[in-house]
Protein backbone atom coordinates (compact mmCIF):
# COMPACT_ATOMS: atom_id res chain seq x y z
CA UNK A 1 0.00 0.00 0.00
CA UNK A 2 1.49 3.40 -0.97
CA UNK A 3 2.53 5.72 1.84
CA UNK A 4 0.18 8.43 0.55
CA UNK A 5 -2.82 6.06 0.51
CA UNK A 6 -4.51 7.57 3.59
CA UNK A 7 -3.95 11.08 2.29
CA UNK A 8 -5.39 10.08 -1.08
CA UNK A 9 -8.56 8.82 0.60
CA UNK A 10 -8.75 11.97 2.74
CA UNK A 11 -8.67 14.20 -0.33
CA UNK A 12 -11.38 12.13 -2.02
CA UNK A 13 -13.70 12.13 0.98
CA UNK A 14 -13.40 15.90 1.36
CA UNK A 15 -14.64 16.21 -2.23
CA UNK A 16 -17.66 13.99 -1.57
CA UNK A 17 -21.25 14.79 -0.66
CA UNK A 18 -23.25 11.89 0.82
CA UNK A 19 -27.01 11.71 0.46
CA UNK A 20 -28.78 9.20 2.70
CA UNK A 21 -32.17 8.05 1.45
CA UNK A 22 -34.22 7.78 4.63
CA UNK A 23 -37.82 7.94 3.46
CA UNK A 24 -38.50 4.21 3.65
CA UNK A 25 -41.88 3.05 4.93
CA UNK A 26 -40.61 -0.28 6.31
CA UNK A 27 -43.98 -1.98 5.77
CA UNK A 28 -42.62 -5.47 6.60
CA UNK A 29 -42.02 -4.24 10.15
CA UNK A 30 -45.79 -3.75 10.44
CA UNK A 31 -46.86 -1.81 13.56
CA UNK A 32 -43.24 -1.10 14.52
CA UNK A 33 -43.25 1.57 11.79
CA UNK A 34 -46.78 2.86 12.35
CA UNK A 35 -45.38 6.10 13.76
CA UNK A 36 -41.79 6.17 12.49
CA UNK A 37 -39.83 5.66 9.28
CA UNK A 38 -37.69 2.54 9.11
CA UNK A 39 -34.39 4.49 9.48
CA UNK A 40 -35.73 5.86 12.79
CA UNK A 41 -36.36 2.39 14.24
CA UNK A 42 -34.33 1.68 17.38
CA UNK A 43 -31.44 -0.79 17.19
CA UNK A 44 -28.75 -2.10 19.49
CA UNK A 45 -29.91 -0.75 22.83
CA UNK A 46 -29.36 2.99 22.32
CA UNK A 47 -29.06 3.63 18.59
CA UNK A 48 -31.35 4.11 15.62
CA UNK A 49 -30.73 2.52 12.23
CA UNK A 50 -29.88 5.88 10.62
CA UNK A 51 -26.93 6.24 13.02
CA UNK A 52 -24.96 3.55 11.19
CA UNK A 53 -24.66 5.13 7.71
CA UNK A 54 -24.19 8.53 9.36
CA UNK A 55 -21.37 7.21 11.55
CA UNK A 56 -19.82 5.51 8.52
CA UNK A 57 -19.74 8.86 6.73
CA UNK A 58 -18.00 10.78 9.50
CA UNK A 59 -15.64 7.94 10.41
CA UNK A 60 -14.69 7.77 6.72
CA UNK A 61 -13.97 11.51 6.57
CA UNK A 62 -17.09 12.53 4.63
CA UNK A 63 -18.18 15.71 6.37
CA UNK A 64 -21.06 16.84 4.14
CA UNK A 65 -24.23 14.78 4.44
CA UNK A 66 -27.84 15.28 3.40
CA UNK A 67 -30.74 13.12 4.55
CA UNK A 68 -33.77 12.80 2.26
CA UNK A 69 -36.86 12.12 4.37
CA UNK A 70 -40.47 11.45 3.49
CA UNK A 71 -42.57 8.82 5.29
CA UNK A 72 -43.58 9.67 8.90
CA UNK A 73 -40.34 11.53 9.41
CA UNK A 74 -41.04 13.44 12.63
CA UNK A 75 -39.14 11.15 15.03
CA UNK A 76 -36.29 10.81 12.52
CA UNK A 77 -35.96 14.58 12.06
CA UNK A 78 -36.11 15.11 15.82
CA UNK A 79 -33.36 12.54 16.35
CA UNK A 80 -31.14 14.10 13.66
CA UNK A 81 -31.76 17.63 14.95
CA UNK A 82 -30.88 16.70 18.52
CA UNK A 83 -27.83 14.58 17.89
CA UNK A 84 -26.36 15.25 14.47
CA UNK A 85 -26.93 18.81 13.28
CA UNK A 86 -24.61 20.50 15.80
CA UNK A 87 -21.31 18.86 14.96
CA UNK A 88 -17.78 20.15 14.47
CA UNK A 89 -17.45 23.29 12.38
CA UNK A 90 -16.32 21.48 9.24
CA UNK A 91 -19.13 18.90 9.40
CA UNK A 92 -22.81 19.28 8.67
CA UNK A 93 -25.95 17.22 8.26
CA UNK A 94 -28.84 18.81 6.42
CA UNK A 95 -32.36 17.42 6.35
CA UNK A 96 -33.99 17.34 2.93
CA UNK A 97 -37.72 16.56 3.25
CA UNK A 98 -39.83 15.98 0.16
CA UNK A 99 -40.61 19.67 -0.40
CA UNK A 100 -41.73 19.52 -4.07
CA UNK A 101 -38.88 21.72 -5.22
CA UNK A 102 -39.16 20.60 -8.86
CA UNK A 103 -42.90 19.98 -9.14
CA UNK A 104 -46.03 18.94 -7.31
CA UNK A 105 -45.02 15.36 -6.53
CA UNK A 106 -43.40 13.70 -3.53
CA UNK A 107 -40.30 11.55 -4.06
CA UNK A 108 -41.32 9.03 -6.71
CA UNK A 109 -38.22 6.82 -6.41
CA UNK A 110 -34.62 6.76 -5.26
CA UNK A 111 -33.35 8.74 -8.25
CA UNK A 112 -36.16 11.26 -7.92
CA UNK A 113 -35.18 11.90 -4.30
CA UNK A 114 -31.78 13.02 -5.60
CA UNK A 115 -33.18 14.93 -8.57
CA UNK A 116 -35.57 16.98 -6.42
CA UNK A 117 -32.58 18.19 -4.38
CA UNK A 118 -30.20 18.68 -7.30
CA UNK A 119 -29.88 22.43 -6.75
CA UNK A 120 -28.93 21.97 -3.10
CA UNK A 121 -26.37 19.28 -3.92
CA UNK A 122 -24.86 21.36 -6.72
CA UNK A 123 -24.42 24.30 -4.36
CA UNK A 124 -21.83 22.28 -2.40
CA UNK A 125 -19.78 21.66 -5.59
CA UNK A 126 -18.80 18.04 -4.87
CA UNK A 127 -16.73 15.97 -7.26
CA UNK A 128 -18.34 12.75 -6.05
CA UNK A 129 -21.81 11.96 -4.77
CA UNK A 130 -22.39 8.98 -2.53
CA UNK A 131 -25.99 7.72 -2.41
CA UNK A 132 -26.67 5.60 0.67
CA UNK A 133 -29.58 3.53 1.88
CA UNK A 134 -30.68 4.72 5.32
CA UNK A 135 -32.14 1.46 6.57
CA UNK A 136 -29.26 -1.03 6.85
CA UNK A 137 -26.99 -1.82 9.79
CA UNK A 138 -23.28 -2.17 8.95
CA UNK A 139 -19.87 -0.52 9.28
CA UNK A 140 -18.04 0.47 6.10
CA UNK A 141 -15.09 2.69 5.18
CA UNK A 142 -16.34 4.71 2.22
CA UNK A 143 -12.81 6.06 1.65
CA UNK A 144 -11.70 2.70 0.28
CA UNK A 145 -14.72 2.68 -2.02
CA UNK A 146 -13.79 6.13 -3.33
CA UNK A 147 -10.19 5.10 -3.96
CA UNK A 148 -11.28 2.08 -6.02
CA UNK A 149 -13.84 4.16 -7.90
CA UNK A 150 -11.13 6.61 -9.00
CA UNK A 151 -8.63 3.84 -9.81
CA UNK A 152 -11.21 2.25 -12.13
CA UNK A 153 -11.89 5.58 -13.85
CA UNK A 154 -15.53 4.79 -13.11
CA UNK A 155 -18.56 6.94 -13.80
CA UNK A 156 -20.56 5.02 -11.23
CA UNK A 157 -19.78 2.30 -8.69
CA UNK A 158 -22.38 0.01 -7.15
CA UNK A 159 -21.67 -1.51 -3.72
CA UNK A 160 -22.57 -5.17 -3.55
CA UNK A 161 -22.25 -8.26 -1.40
CA UNK A 162 -22.49 -11.99 -1.96
CA UNK A 163 -25.78 -13.52 -0.86
CA UNK A 164 -27.58 -16.81 -1.38
CA UNK A 165 -29.70 -16.91 -4.53
CA UNK A 166 -32.79 -17.86 -2.52
CA UNK A 167 -32.31 -14.77 -0.34
CA UNK A 168 -31.79 -12.43 -3.29
CA UNK A 169 -34.68 -13.66 -5.42
CA UNK A 170 -37.34 -10.97 -5.54
CA UNK A 171 -35.59 -8.89 -2.86
CA UNK A 172 -32.32 -7.42 -4.21
CA UNK A 173 -30.97 -5.87 -7.35
CA UNK A 174 -28.55 -8.45 -8.82
CA UNK A 175 -25.34 -7.61 -10.69
CA UNK A 176 -23.44 -9.58 -13.32
CA UNK A 177 -19.80 -8.51 -13.76
CA UNK A 178 -16.84 -9.32 -15.98
CA UNK A 179 -13.33 -10.28 -14.85
CA UNK A 180 -12.53 -6.64 -14.01
CA UNK A 181 -15.73 -6.11 -11.97
CA UNK A 182 -17.31 -3.98 -14.69
CA UNK A 183 -21.07 -4.44 -14.56
CA UNK A 184 -22.45 -6.07 -17.71
CA UNK A 185 -26.00 -6.69 -16.49
CA UNK A 186 -28.24 -5.44 -13.71
CA UNK A 187 -31.58 -7.02 -12.82
CA UNK A 188 -33.85 -5.41 -10.24
CA UNK A 189 -35.26 -8.05 -7.88
CA UNK A 190 -35.24 -10.94 -10.38
CA UNK A 191 -37.10 -14.18 -9.64
CA UNK A 192 -34.05 -16.17 -10.81
CA UNK A 193 -30.80 -14.26 -10.10
CA UNK A 194 -27.64 -14.89 -12.10
CA UNK A 195 -25.16 -17.10 -10.27
CA UNK A 196 -21.56 -16.00 -9.64
CA UNK A 197 -19.22 -18.15 -11.80
CA UNK A 198 -17.54 -20.88 -9.73
CA UNK A 199 -19.65 -19.97 -6.67
CA UNK A 200 -22.71 -22.20 -6.67
CA UNK A 201 -25.91 -20.74 -5.22
CA UNK A 202 -24.31 -17.29 -4.75
CA UNK A 203 -25.03 -14.01 -6.50
CA UNK A 204 -23.91 -10.38 -6.29
CA UNK A 205 -26.62 -8.29 -4.65
CA UNK A 206 -26.74 -4.51 -4.59
CA UNK A 207 -26.52 -2.91 -1.15
CA UNK A 208 -28.40 0.16 -2.38
CA UNK A 209 -25.23 2.26 -2.05
CA UNK A 210 -24.05 4.08 -5.18
CA UNK A 211 -21.06 6.32 -5.88
CA UNK A 212 -21.19 8.73 -8.82
CA UNK A 213 -19.00 11.32 -10.41
CA UNK A 214 -21.12 14.39 -9.71
CA UNK A 215 -21.41 15.76 -13.27
CA UNK A 216 -22.20 12.29 -14.60
CA UNK A 217 -25.00 11.85 -12.06
CA UNK A 218 -26.53 15.23 -12.83
CA UNK A 219 -26.57 14.40 -16.55
CA UNK A 220 -28.29 11.06 -15.99
CA UNK A 221 -30.93 12.54 -13.68
CA UNK A 222 -31.77 15.26 -16.21
CA UNK A 223 -32.02 12.68 -19.00
CA UNK A 224 -34.26 10.41 -16.91
CA UNK A 225 -36.77 13.21 -16.35
CA UNK A 226 -37.56 13.15 -20.07
CA UNK A 227 -37.98 9.36 -20.25
CA UNK A 228 -41.67 8.55 -20.47
CA UNK A 229 -42.69 5.75 -18.11
CA UNK A 230 -39.57 5.95 -15.93
CA UNK A 231 -40.15 5.09 -12.28
CA UNK A 232 -37.34 7.52 -11.33
CA UNK A 233 -35.43 4.74 -9.58
CA UNK A 234 -31.73 3.86 -9.70
CA UNK A 235 -32.28 0.10 -9.82
CA UNK A 236 -35.19 0.06 -12.24
CA UNK A 237 -34.15 2.86 -14.57
CA UNK A 238 -30.78 4.62 -14.16
CA UNK A 239 -28.39 1.66 -13.82
CA UNK A 240 -29.85 -0.48 -16.65
CA UNK A 241 -29.75 2.55 -18.97
CA UNK A 242 -26.03 3.29 -18.48
CA UNK A 243 -24.17 -0.01 -18.07
CA UNK A 244 -23.63 -0.57 -21.80
CA UNK A 245 -22.30 2.93 -22.55
CA UNK A 246 -20.57 4.06 -19.35
CA UNK A 247 -17.94 2.83 -16.92
CA UNK A 248 -20.08 1.24 -14.22
CA UNK A 249 -18.24 -0.98 -11.75
CA UNK A 250 -19.12 -3.19 -8.80
CA UNK A 251 -17.44 -2.73 -5.43
CA UNK A 252 -17.51 -5.90 -3.40
CA UNK A 253 -18.06 -5.27 0.31
CA UNK A 254 -15.43 -7.53 1.88
CA UNK A 255 -13.02 -7.50 4.77
CA UNK A 256 -9.73 -6.19 3.26
CA UNK A 257 -7.63 -8.62 5.32
CA UNK A 258 -9.60 -11.86 5.29
CA UNK A 259 -11.77 -11.35 2.18
CA UNK A 260 -14.70 -12.52 4.33
CA UNK A 261 -18.16 -10.96 4.30
CA UNK A 262 -18.34 -8.13 6.90
CA UNK A 263 -21.37 -7.56 9.08
CA UNK A 264 -24.37 -6.25 7.15
CA UNK A 265 -28.00 -6.62 8.12
CA UNK A 266 -31.24 -5.59 6.49
CA UNK A 267 -33.50 -5.51 9.54
CA UNK A 268 -36.56 -5.13 7.35
CA UNK A 269 -38.74 -7.80 8.94
CA UNK A 270 -39.77 -8.42 12.53
CA UNK A 271 -37.86 -11.70 12.55
CA UNK A 272 -34.65 -10.16 11.17
CA UNK A 273 -34.97 -7.21 13.56
CA UNK A 274 -35.27 -9.55 16.55
CA UNK A 275 -32.46 -11.82 15.33
CA UNK A 276 -30.04 -8.92 14.72
CA UNK A 277 -30.66 -7.52 18.20
CA UNK A 278 -30.29 -10.96 19.76
CA UNK A 279 -26.90 -11.36 18.07
CA UNK A 280 -25.65 -8.41 20.10
CA UNK A 281 -26.11 -10.15 23.47
CA UNK A 282 -23.85 -13.07 22.51
CA UNK A 283 -20.33 -13.11 24.05
CA UNK A 284 -18.59 -12.09 20.80
CA UNK A 285 -21.05 -10.59 18.32
CA UNK A 286 -19.90 -9.93 14.77
CA UNK A 287 -20.94 -6.29 15.14
CA UNK A 288 -18.63 -4.90 17.81
CA UNK A 289 -20.33 -1.82 19.25
CA UNK A 290 -17.40 -1.40 21.66
CA UNK A 291 -14.83 -0.73 18.90
CA UNK A 292 -13.31 2.66 19.76
CA UNK A 293 -11.64 2.89 16.33
CA UNK A 294 -15.04 3.02 14.58
CA UNK A 295 -17.56 4.48 17.04
CA UNK A 296 -21.27 4.60 16.32
CA UNK A 297 -22.50 8.08 17.15
CA UNK A 298 -26.03 8.88 18.25
CA UNK A 299 -28.22 11.23 20.22
CA UNK A 300 -28.83 10.00 23.74
CA UNK A 301 -30.57 11.43 26.75
CA UNK A 302 -28.62 12.24 29.89
CA UNK A 303 -29.70 9.26 31.99
CA UNK A 304 -28.50 7.68 35.24
CA UNK A 305 -26.80 4.27 35.16
CA UNK A 306 -28.87 1.09 35.00
CA UNK A 307 -29.99 0.00 38.46
CA UNK A 308 -30.50 -3.54 39.81
CA UNK A 309 -32.27 -3.87 43.16
CA UNK A 310 -33.37 -6.59 45.59
CA UNK A 311 -31.24 -9.65 46.30
CA UNK A 312 -33.11 -12.51 47.91
CA UNK A 313 -34.36 -15.90 46.84
CA UNK A 314 -37.88 -14.68 46.07
CA UNK A 315 -36.96 -11.68 43.95
CA UNK A 316 -33.57 -10.77 42.63
CA UNK A 317 -32.84 -7.96 40.21
CA UNK A 318 -30.48 -9.60 37.72
CA UNK A 319 -29.56 -9.80 34.05
CA UNK A 320 -27.59 -12.64 32.43
CA UNK A 321 -26.28 -12.71 28.84
CA UNK A 322 -28.09 -9.43 28.28
CA UNK A 323 -27.54 -5.79 27.38
CA UNK A 324 -29.14 -3.20 29.65
CA UNK A 325 -29.02 0.50 28.74
CA UNK A 326 -28.88 3.60 30.90
CA UNK A 327 -31.92 4.66 32.88
CA UNK A 328 -33.20 1.08 33.29
CA UNK A 329 -34.42 -0.18 36.66
CA UNK A 330 -34.41 -3.94 37.16
CA UNK A 331 -36.51 -4.16 40.31
CA UNK A 332 -36.53 -7.77 41.48
CA UNK A 333 -36.88 -8.99 37.88
CA UNK A 334 -34.92 -11.69 36.05
CA UNK A 335 -33.56 -10.84 32.58
CA UNK A 336 -32.05 -13.56 30.38
CA UNK A 337 -30.64 -13.24 26.85
CA UNK A 338 -32.45 -9.96 26.25
CA UNK A 339 -31.72 -6.44 25.12
CA UNK A 340 -33.23 -3.53 27.04
CA UNK A 341 -33.21 -0.01 25.64
CA UNK A 342 -33.07 3.14 27.74
CA UNK A 343 -35.42 3.76 30.67
CA UNK A 344 -37.03 0.32 30.78
CA UNK A 345 -38.53 -0.60 34.17
CA UNK A 346 -38.97 -4.30 34.95
CA UNK A 347 -40.95 -4.78 38.17
CA UNK A 348 -40.66 -7.47 40.84
CA UNK A 349 -41.10 -11.17 40.04
CA UNK A 350 -41.28 -10.54 36.30
CA UNK A 351 -39.33 -12.73 33.86
CA UNK A 352 -37.95 -11.48 30.53
CA UNK A 353 -36.26 -13.96 28.18
CA UNK A 354 -34.93 -13.62 24.62
CA UNK A 355 -36.76 -10.33 24.19
CA UNK A 356 -36.15 -6.83 22.86
CA UNK A 357 -37.67 -4.05 24.97
CA UNK A 358 -37.64 -0.61 23.40
CA UNK A 359 -37.29 2.78 25.05
CA UNK A 360 -39.44 3.60 28.08
CA UNK A 361 -41.36 0.34 28.33
CA UNK A 362 -42.59 -1.10 31.65
CA UNK A 363 -43.16 -4.71 32.65
CA UNK A 364 -45.53 -5.28 35.56
CA UNK A 365 -45.13 -7.62 38.52
CA UNK A 366 -45.27 -11.36 37.75
CA UNK A 367 -45.45 -10.66 34.00
CA UNK A 368 -43.55 -13.03 31.70
CA UNK A 369 -42.12 -12.26 28.27
CA UNK A 370 -40.40 -14.71 25.91
CA UNK A 371 -39.23 -13.96 22.34
CA UNK A 372 -41.06 -10.64 22.40
CA UNK A 373 -40.47 -7.28 20.72
CA UNK A 374 -41.97 -4.71 23.08
CA UNK A 375 -42.39 -1.30 21.44
CA UNK A 376 -41.62 2.03 23.11
CA UNK A 377 -43.66 3.16 26.12
CA UNK A 378 -45.57 -0.10 26.45
CA UNK A 379 -46.89 -0.97 29.91
CA UNK A 380 -47.33 -4.72 30.25
CA UNK A 381 -50.00 -5.42 32.90
CA UNK A 382 -49.09 -7.35 36.01
CA UNK A 383 -49.39 -11.11 35.61
CA UNK A 384 -49.68 -11.10 31.81
CA UNK A 385 -47.70 -13.78 29.92
CA UNK A 386 -46.64 -13.06 26.32
CA UNK A 387 -44.78 -15.37 23.96
CA UNK A 388 -45.82 -18.69 25.49
CA UNK A 389 -49.11 -19.37 23.69
CA UNK A 390 -49.44 -18.23 20.08
CA UNK A 391 -53.22 -18.58 19.95
CA UNK A 392 -53.65 -16.59 23.15
CA UNK A 393 -51.24 -13.88 21.95
CA UNK A 394 -53.16 -13.50 18.71
CA UNK A 395 -56.46 -13.46 20.61
CA UNK A 396 -55.02 -10.62 22.71
CA UNK A 397 -54.38 -8.65 19.52
CA UNK A 398 -50.60 -9.12 19.36
CA UNK A 399 -48.77 -9.90 16.12
CA UNK A 400 -46.96 -13.27 15.98
CA UNK A 401 -44.50 -13.95 13.14
CA UNK A 402 -43.91 -17.24 11.33
CA UNK A 403 -40.84 -17.81 13.51
CA UNK A 404 -42.79 -17.22 16.69
CA UNK A 405 -41.67 -13.68 17.56
CA UNK A 406 -44.44 -11.64 19.19
CA UNK A 407 -44.71 -7.91 18.55
CA UNK A 408 -46.50 -5.85 21.21
CA UNK A 409 -47.23 -2.15 20.83
CA UNK A 410 -48.76 0.46 23.09
CA UNK A 411 -51.92 0.55 20.96
CA UNK A 412 -52.31 -3.23 21.19
CA UNK A 413 -52.10 -3.11 24.97
CA UNK A 414 -54.57 -0.23 25.13
CA UNK A 415 -57.03 -2.20 23.00
CA UNK A 416 -56.55 -5.24 25.22
CA UNK A 417 -57.31 -3.17 28.31
CA UNK A 418 -60.59 -2.03 26.76
Amino acid sequence: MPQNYDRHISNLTKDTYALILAGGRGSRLFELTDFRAKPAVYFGGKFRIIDFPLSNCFNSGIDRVGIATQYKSHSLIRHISRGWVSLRAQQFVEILPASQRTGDDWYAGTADAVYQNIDIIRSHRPKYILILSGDHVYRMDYGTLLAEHVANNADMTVCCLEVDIEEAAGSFGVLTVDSKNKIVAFDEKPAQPNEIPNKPNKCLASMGNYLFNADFLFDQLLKDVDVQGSTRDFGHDIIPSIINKSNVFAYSFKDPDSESQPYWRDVGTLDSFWEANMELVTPKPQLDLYDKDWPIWTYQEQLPPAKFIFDNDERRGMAVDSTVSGGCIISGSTIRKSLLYSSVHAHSYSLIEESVLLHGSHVGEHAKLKRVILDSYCCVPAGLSIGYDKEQDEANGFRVTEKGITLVTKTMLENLAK
Side-chain angles (χ1 to χ4, degrees):
M1 182 178 294
Q3 291 183 350
N4 64 347
Y5 183 75
D6 290 338
R7 178 61 181 169
H8 177 50
I9 290 180
S10 177
N11 289 337
L12 294 176
T13 56
K14 299 305 178 187
D15 288 332
T16 301
Y17 181 93
L19 179 64
I20 301 177
L21 305 181
R25 181 180 295 268
S27 57
R28 294 179 299 159
L29 288 169
F30 296 98
E31 293 84 358
L32 202 58
T33 52
D34 271 355
F35 302 104
R36 58 175 75 96
K38 183 181 173 184
V41 170
Y42 293 97
F43 183 83
K46 61 185 291 186
F47 308 103
R48 296 187 188 239
I49 295 174
I50 189 70
D51 293 326
F52 289 84
L54 276 169
S55 296
N56 288 338
C57 286
F58 292 127
N59 288 333
S60 300
I62 297 174
D63 295 332
R64 299 178 293 173
V65 181
I67 301 177
T69 65
Q70 183 159 271
Y71 171 81
K72 295 187 177 179
S73 59
H74 174 70
S75 62
L76 177 63
I77 292 174
R78 183 176 58 186
H79 174 72
I80 299 302
S81 299
R82 288 177 174 177
W84 286 95
V85 170
S86 300
L87 299 168
R88 296 196 301 268
Q90 70 271 28
Q91 296 175 330
F92 70 79
V93 174
E94 54 187 357
I95 300 169
L96 306 173
S99 53
Q100 301 174 315
R101 298 175 64 85
T102 59
D104 297 329
D105 298 322
W106 302 113
Y107 295 149
T110 53
D112 189 52
V114 184
Y115 171 73
Q116 289 202 35
N117 293 290
I118 195 170
D119 59 328
I120 296 175
I121 299 171
R122 272 179 165 163
S123 70
H124 298 300
R125 299 181 180 178
K127 290 184 179 179
Y128 311 100
I129 298 174
L130 180 61
I131 311 297
L132 300 171
S133 171
D135 51 13
H136 299 142
V137 178
Y138 65 105
R139 296 192 304 179
M140 180 178 181
D141 186 349
Y142 302 136
T144 307
L145 162 66
L146 278 155
E148 186 167 313
H149 174 85
V150 172
N152 287 331
N153 193 29
D155 298 307
M156 176 189 184
T157 299
V158 180
C159 299
C160 60
L161 39 78
E162 295 183 7
V163 301
D164 293 336
I165 284 180
E166 293 79 7
E167 181 184 354
S171 300
F172 291 89
V174 176
L175 297 72
T176 304
V177 301
D178 63 15
S179 59
K180 295 182 179 179
N181 281 334
K182 192 173 187 294
I183 299 175
V184 297
F186 185 94
D187 301 298
E188 182 66 7
K189 299 180 180 180
Q192 295 182 326
N194 291 335
E195 195 173 72
I196 301 174
N198 301 319
K199 290 190 177 182
N201 199 40
K202 292 287 186 180
C203 65
L204 282 179
S206 170
M207 297 170 60
N209 294 348
Y210 314 118
L211 177 61
F212 288 90
N213 294 338
D215 290 339
F216 177 80
L217 174 60
F218 297 149
D219 288 343
Q220 302 313 312
L221 293 176
L222 293 172
K223 289 177 182 177
D224 186 63
V225 170
D226 296 326
V227 176
Q228 188 173 5
S230 172
T231 63
R232 308 289 186 260
D233 186 81
F234 284 113
H236 280 287
D237 307 289
I238 301 293
I239 300 175
S241 72
I242 64 176
I243 54 177
N244 291 327
K245 54 187 178 182
S246 305
N247 289 330
V248 184
F249 284 81
Y251 175 82
S252 186
F253 182 42
K254 291 183 177 180
D255 186 289
D257 299 319
S258 64
E259 290 293 306
S260 62
Q261 185 72 66
Y263 182 94
W264 184 89
R265 296 289 184 273
D266 179 0
V267 289
T269 67
L270 294 174
D271 288 325
S272 63
F273 174 80
W274 178 85
E275 290 167 356
N277 277 280
M278 285 296 96
E279 289 173 348
L280 298 176
V281 304
T282 60
K284 292 185 178 181
Q286 188 178 357
L287 177 62
D288 182 8
L289 295 177
Y290 299 87
D291 185 354
K292 294 181 179 180
D293 292 330
W294 200 269
I296 306 301
W297 308 93
T298 189
Y299 165 77
Q300 55 183 324
E301 299 177 70
Q302 297 301 313
L303 297 169
K307 185 177 183 179
F308 299 78
I309 54 175
F310 300 119
D311 183 17
N312 57 61
D313 292 339
E314 292 184 357
R315 56 173 177 168
R316 177 171 289 114
M318 60 177 289
V320 181
D321 291 336
S322 299
T323 296
V324 180
S325 301
C328 290
I329 300 176
I330 312 304
S331 176
S333 173
T334 300
I335 318 293
R336 294 195 182 100
K337 294 183 178 179
S338 295
L339 191 148
L340 276 58
Y341 287 67
S342 305
S343 301
V344 170
H345 192 165
H347 291 269
S348 293
Y349 311 107
S350 60
L351 175 62
I352 300 168
E353 298 182 291
E354 300 177 75
S355 295
V356 178
L357 278 61
L358 300 190
H359 179 84
S361 54
H362 281 236
V363 179
E365 291 187 358
H366 296 284
K368 296 170 63 179
L369 307 181
K370 187 169 185 178
R371 293 166 64 84
V372 170
I373 300 171
L374 190 64
D375 200 4
S376 301
Y377 303 108
C378 283
C379 292
V380 178
L384 182 63
S385 294
I386 307 175
Y388 294 87
D389 186 327
K390 178 181 178 182
E391 292 184 359
Q392 184 60 55
D393 287 342
E394 291 178 335
N396 286 339
F398 307 143
R399 180 177 293 279
V400 184
T401 72
E402 293 182 358
K403 294 185 178 181
I405 306 304
T406 304
L407 172 66
V408 180
T409 69
K410 182 180 179 181
T411 301
M412 292 175 185
L413 290 169
E414 290 173 347
N415 290 336
L416 178 63
K418 295 176 183 178

